[in-house]
Amino acid sequence: MRPLRTLAVLAALASAALLAPPAQAAATVRTSAATIYRGEGDQLLRVRTTTRPGIVKITHNGEGHLAVWTLAPSGREDDLLANQVGAYKGTSAFNTGTSNRTAAFSIKADGAWTLQVLPLTKARSWSITSRGTGDDVLRLSSTSRGLHRLRIRHSGDGHFAVWTLDANGRTHNLVVNKVGSYNGTVSLPPGTRYASIKANGTWSIVRR
């Protein structure tokens, strides 16, 4: 009887091992306002398909290339949220196009990462003078009206772009699109509620 009991115990342990999640599986934490995913290395995170604009706060502690895409239900790569070599910390907007539908997030990474998915209304407050480093999303307290100026500076050596978004979070205008350092003044398009900044260096935006 003892050998049979031993075999039964071994069989149960083997079955549990087969059913256990892989070591690299992403952990998910949900709160009332956000969903946080944590993992390491390459992952594909399926989510409930949505067309609603939002933001993703991303961190990466690897040394290699990090790329984070939203995927459409067809599997097509849609929004490139992060694209950097080495450590990364930034915030990006997604579903800003009227045809966007996000069904998953694709992560290509060599280190540990986190993704915090939030409503667009949780973007950082856009003060008169806003400063940051790297990718970010800013939110005005109300939609802009009339003629206003933006004094914008960037000290990085990579691509620098500033998109404005309307009150619904949809792409409005591309006000800056340069490579390297930048120092200029542009108009703030009426109807702007958000700004999406893609940068690899420090930047500042002053509203006037």
Side-chain angles (χ1 to χ4, degrees):
M1 294 297 292
R2 193 176 299 276
L4 291 177
R5 180 178 296 179
T6 301
L7 289 174
V9 172
L10 291 175
L13 291 174
S15 177
L18 290 173
L19 294 174
Q24 299 296 323
T28 305
V29 177
R30 289 183 174 85
T31 67
S32 58
T35 301
I36 304 172
Y37 302 94
R38 293 185 176 91
E40 186 172 351
D42 298 346
Q43 288 287 343
L44 178 64
L45 304 175
R46 291 182 178 273
V47 298
R48 180 178 296 178
T49 301
T50 179
T51 60
R52 181 175 297 178
I55 60 173
V56 181
K57 295 184 178 181
I58 303 169
T59 66
H60 178 236
N61 292 324
E63 297 180 353
H65 181 227
L66 168 72
V68 180
W69 289 87
T70 62
L71 300 184
S74 65
R76 182 192 70 242
E77 292 179 336
D78 220 338
D79 292 322
L80 180 57
L81 304 179
N83 184 31
Q84 185 164 311
V85 174
Y88 175 86
K89 182 178 181 181
T91 302
S92 294
F94 69 98
N95 278 354
T96 58
T98 56
S99 63
N100 290 120
R101 296 179 67 212
T102 295
F105 294 98
S106 172
I107 301 101
K108 297 292 186 181
D110 75 331
W113 49 263
T114 65
L115 266 67
Q116 183 178 11
V117 184
L118 292 152
L120 190 58
T121 54
K122 297 297 183 180
R124 181 158 70 98
S125 178
W126 189 350
S127 56
I128 297 299
T129 299
S130 292
R131 295 182 174 87
T133 301
D135 302 339
D136 208 347
V137 181
L138 303 176
R139 172 185 52 84
L140 289 173
S141 58
S142 61
T143 304
S144 67
R145 297 180 180 180
L147 180 61
H148 298 277
R149 295 182 298 168
L150 299 175
R151 177 66 181 270
I152 302 175
R153 296 181 179 180
H154 176 240
S155 65
D157 57 4
H159 181 227
F160 177 61
V162 179
W163 288 90
T164 60
L165 311 177
D166 64 19
N168 295 316
R170 304 303 183 183
T171 299
H172 195 216
N173 285 92
L174 177 61
V175 295
V176 178
N177 187 29
K178 298 289 184 180
V179 174
S181 60
Y182 176 82
N183 185 353
T185 301
V186 299
S187 63
L188 173 64
T192 295
R193 185 65 185 275
Y194 303 92
S196 175
I197 299 104
K198 307 300 289 185
N200 79 328
T202 58
W203 51 265
S204 65
I205 300 178
V206 180
R207 288 187 290 119
R208 296 178 176 176

